[in-house]
Structure formats: C-alpha cells, structure tokens
C-alpha cells in the first residue's frame, strides 16, 4: 500500500544504532509525554496493554486517509492496495515469529481468541471423553477457561503442572502428568503475574516424545523476547497486538500447517469459503479458512507497523535493556521493608508483582495513581495463581523498553508514600 508502506519504510525507529537511547525512544510514544494528577506519567502497566509509537498511529491514520476498502474482494485499486498491505503484514508476522509459511499465520482478536480457536476447532475434533489437557498453575484465565469449556463439552479432563514458591514449573511433576491420556499441552511462555520465563523447550520436547502437540501462550513473551517458532518447535503460538505496541482487537495464532489443514473452521461466513450451495460448503485453505468475515484490516496493518518498529530496534537489544532494568527494579523494590515480591524465578521478564504488609493491593494502586504511577492491582486474571500464593491480589508493575531507571525511582518513592499513609 503506497502511503502506508512509505510511511513505515521512511520512519526509521529511534535507537536502532549504537547504544540503547531510551530518551530518544520515548519521543516516539506521544502518550508518555502527559501529566496525570499534575505529575509526570509513569506508565508501568505494560502487561495489560502497551503504548503505541507514533508510526503505528500514523500508519492507521494513513490507511483511512488513503486506501480504506475491503480486502480479498474488490478488483478496484483501493481494494488491491488494502489487500496488499493486509497480506504484507501477514508476512511481517511470519518473519517476526520465524514461521515457515504465511498460511500458518491466522489473524484473530487476540491471545484469548487464538486459544479459543484451538480449543474449539482442534480440541473438539481430535479430543474425546477421558482425554487430558495439561496446563500450568500460572495460567491466565484465557488459558484455563477455554479448556474447561472444552472439557465440559467432550468429557475431557484438565491437569495442572504445579509450581514452586519462586513461581517455577516443576518439570518432574509435569513428566508424571504426561501419560497415555494426554492429548494436548497448553502453557504460558512468560507469566503475566510472576514474570517467569517458562522452560518451554523441554516442555515441548517431553510432550513431543509422546506425540502430544503444544500450544504456547505468548501474550507476555512476544513483546519482550525474540520468538522463533521453528526453534521452539511449538505446534501453536498465540500473542496479542495491543501488548506488542500495536492496536487493540488484533492478535495472531500461529499453527503448524499440517495441523491447520486438518482442523475445521472456527466460525463460518464470508472469505472462509471456496464455494457455497445450500447443500454443502467447501472451505477455503488456511489461513483464510479461519478468518471468517471482514477482518480487522486497520489492526493488521497497524500491527505490521509495530513489528517494523520493533525490528528496527531489535528484540535482542530490547530484551537486554529490559533485563538490566528488571534486575535494578527487583533490587530496589526488594529493599523496601515490608514488601514481598511474588514471583522470584531465576528466568524472568519484565514483571514485578508484590504485596505490602497491612496494605491491600488496590490501595497501593490507587495511591500510586495519585503520584502519576500507573500499575495494575488485582488478581490479574489468574485467580488460581493468587490462591497458590495465598494472596487475594498483588500490585504489579510491568515494564516496557521505554521505561527508565528514573521511573523505577518514582515508583519506589510512591510506594514509600503508601507506607507512610498506612504505617
Ligand atoms: N495470556 C496472558 C499470559 C496474558 O497476560 C493475557 C492478558 C492474555 C493471555 C489475554 O490477552 P488478550 O489480549 O486476549 O486479552 N493479560 C493481561 C494482564 O496481565 N493484564 O491485563 C491483561
């Protein structure tokens, strides 16, 4: 697409050469320049959703200003341009995940829809009564409830890999759970509450040695780590655009081609068909078989721009910067008297969950907000994990590559303010 492609091609992201220049990177994110409650905004709720660089916002605007039209249908100029941009973004996602084929990249609403698609299409077709699905104790509700729905529908059973007090999965226990009845494993790549980076390669190898496919929930991994689905050898991978500095309402399901080909459609409608009569419908091939109806065109194109932007900075450099920031933040937070970190795994990314003696997490969140510091407080859509740690809720600061040490200092100062009020 003319204008949109020109825009993403010409706006070289900041910090793409030499040292990681976080101040220059911050200039790309207009929302960060704001004040809230008269204080500079310190945005530390990136696990919920991340902010968007100007180039993503401009790409979406340019799409509507210049080529808006439906994809895969029109013979006219604008429709061809929109289709080109839409399919071009699919190839950007393919490269981002190092997937072998674009037909393995399905656009969905987000991680949640990607998991539901696999549960209902793959699960309902290939699993039966008495079969077992393995998840872990640190899953987001999005990787629990779709499987419970499936279990109720077909009479299958959910098994849960336990974790230790640091928030690490117990691989020995996982090994014991893997058995004749196991038909699917679905685990989170990076935990949204604990920040744990799971040992997904051994998890996948152990499942594959029994011929069991594995889905990885990459909602919190894709924005922070380079992901290579061929190297991981996962069968399905999901992530959400809005956590990856792209628009809301768009996400990706990667699936191995040979699996997608055997799976029935998730939804019926336009675009997913080859031919329809009242007697019978012939379905389209993947990925279109799984993309019924007019897709989120602007979302896909915006996601493509976000991926271009990230590629310009390089995920390896982002991961290294964030690692260093996480180590620093962990050190300073842990030194606050009465503060307990929840999630102390050896391998962690970008998430700091904590509780404070005598203070409810929601009160921490509210007082921090008054100081301009945005965090999330609550169960983080992981209620079974809260039960595992014996807490009703945690306060959670979650980092992105535009966060700074200064901001961590402001977080710490704000926490001391909470302590003053409650001690
Ligand atoms: N999986 C994980 C690990 C997540 O963290 C989330 C969202 C989802 C799945 C669902 O993603 P969605 O884009 O489909 O909604 N996690 C959070 C969070 O931690 N705070 O708000 C949303």
């Amino acid at each position: 697409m003319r204008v949109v492609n020109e825009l993403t091609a010409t706006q070289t992201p900041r910090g793409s050469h030499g040292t990681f220049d976080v101040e220059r990177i911050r200039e790309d994110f207009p929302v960060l320049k704001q004040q809230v409650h008269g204080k500079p905004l310190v945005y530390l709720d990136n696990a919920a959703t991340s902010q968007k660089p100007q180039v993503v916002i401009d790409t979406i605007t340019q799409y509507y200003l210049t080529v808006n039209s439906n994809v895969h249908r029109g013979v006219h100029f604008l429709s061809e341009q929109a289709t080109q941009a839409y399919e071009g973004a699919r190839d950007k996602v393919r490269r981002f995940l190092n997937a072998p084929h674009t037909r393995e990249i399905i656009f969905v609403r987000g991680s949640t829809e990607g998991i539901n698609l696999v549960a209902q299409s793959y699960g309902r077709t290939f699993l039966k009564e008495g079969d077992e699905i393995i998840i872990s104790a640190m899953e987001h509700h999005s990787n629990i409830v779709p499987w419970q729905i499936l279990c109720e529908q077909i009479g299958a059973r959910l098994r849960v890999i336990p974790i230790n007090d640091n928030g690490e999965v117990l691989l020995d226990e996982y090994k014991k759970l893997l058995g004749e009845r196991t038909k699917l494993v679905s685990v989170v790549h990076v935990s949204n509450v604990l920040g744990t980076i799971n040992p997904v390669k051994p998890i996948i190898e152990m499942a594959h040695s029994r011929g069991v496919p594995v889905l990885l929930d990459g909602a919190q991994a894709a924005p922070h780590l380079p992901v290579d689905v061929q190297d991981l050898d996962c069968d399905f991978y999901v992530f959400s655009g809005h956590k990856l500095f792209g628009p809301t309402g768009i996400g990706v399901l990667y699936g191995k081609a040979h699996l997608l080909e055997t799976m029935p459609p998730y939804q019926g409608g336009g675009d997913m068909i080859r031919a329809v009569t009242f007697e019978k419908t012939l379905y389209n091939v993947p990925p279109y078989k799984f993309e019924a109806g007019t897709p989120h065109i602007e979302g896909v194109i915006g996601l493509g721009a976000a991926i271009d932007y990230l590629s310009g900075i390089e995920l390896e450099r982002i991961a290294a910067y964030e690692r260093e920031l996480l180590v620093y933040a962990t050190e300073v937070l842990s030194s606050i008297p009465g503060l307990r970190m929840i999630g102390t795994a050896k391998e962690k990314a970008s998430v700091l969950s904590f509780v404070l003696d005598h203070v409810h997490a929601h009160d921490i969140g509210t007082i921090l907000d008054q100081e301009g510091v945005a965090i999330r407080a609550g169960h983080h859509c992981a209620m079974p994990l809260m039960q595992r740690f014996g807490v009703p809720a945690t306060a959670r600061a979650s980092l992105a590559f535009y966060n700074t040490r200064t901001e961590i200092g402001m977080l710490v100062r704000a926490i001391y303010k909470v302590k003053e009020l409650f001690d």
Side-chain angles (χ1 to χ4, degrees), residues 63-64 68-73 79 82-83 85-87 89-90 105-109 113 248-251 267 269-272 287-288 290-301:
Y63 165 72
Y64 281 118
N68 171 53
S69 53
N70 214 326
V71 292
H72 302 146
R73 288 150 222 250
S79 176
T83 303
Y86 182 84
E87 291 304 329
R90 197 190 304 277
I105 305 298
I106 298 159
F107 289 118
V108 288
R109 276 195 298 132
E113 190 175 44
T248 51
I250 190 68
Q267 294 182 328
D271 235 21
M272 52 73 72
Y288 311 110
F290 300 102
E291 292 180 3
T294 298
H296 186 10
I297 306 168
E298 101 188 32
V300 166
I301 293 169

Side-chain angles (χ1 to χ4, degrees), residues 180-340:
E180 287 299 308
R181 291 165 184 267
T182 313
K183 291 291 154 33
L184 198 71
V185 174
S186 187
V187 290
V188 71
H189 192 172
V190 171
S191 159
N192 67 316
V193 177
L194 307 168
T196 310
I197 305 174
N198 274 321
V200 287
K201 274 180 102 164
I203 288 174
I204 291 165
E205 277 163 23
M206 284 155 77
H208 282 180
S209 71
R210 293 183 155 273
V212 175
V214 180
L215 182 153
L216 292 183
D217 172 359
Q220 301 294 345
H224 303 288
L225 313 170
V227 175
D228 181 333
V229 292
Q230 292 190 68
D231 180 51
L232 292 169
D233 199 25
C234 55
D235 301 276
F236 299 104
Y237 197 95
V238 298
F239 71 86
S240 301
H242 70 98
K243 297 189 201 285
L244 194 82
F245 316 97
T248 51
I250 190 68
V252 169
L253 164 67
Y254 156 81
K256 282 184 179 167
H258 75 95
L259 293 173
L260 295 178
E261 273 150 21
T262 61
M263 287 161 55
Y266 173 54
Q267 294 182 328
D271 235 21
M272 52 73 72
I273 54 90
R274 224 197 257 294
V276 179
T277 64
F278 284 120
E279 287 70 41
K280 188 172 170 55
T281 290
L282 294 176
Y283 304 132
N284 208 336
V285 291
Y288 311 110
K289 180 165 74 174
F290 300 102
E291 292 180 3
T294 298
H296 186 10
I297 306 168
E298 101 188 32
V300 166
I301 293 169
L303 175 61
I307 287 175
D308 280 344
Y309 178 82
L310 288 174
S311 307
I313 306 176
E314 297 168 14
L315 253 293
E316 286 85 357
R317 298 176 72 228
I318 287 172
Y321 174 79
E322 286 186 10
R323 215 165 18 245
E324 192 261 339
L325 194 61
L326 181 70
V327 168
Y328 173 71
T330 305
E331 227 172 77
V332 291
L333 282 187
S334 307
S335 69
I336 299 175
L339 184 147
R340 179 161 69 98

Side-chain angles (χ1 to χ4, degrees), residues 34-62:
Q34 286 178 82
Q35 298 221 329
V36 295
H37 306 304
K39 310 266 168 60
L41 170 67
V42 176
Y43 188 78
L44 295 172
D45 195 18
N46 295 287
T49 199
S50 58
Q51 300 302 343
K52 322 303 171 200
Q54 185 72 50
V55 68
V56 168
I57 300 164
D58 289 349
T59 301
I60 294 167
T61 307
Q62 281 305 319

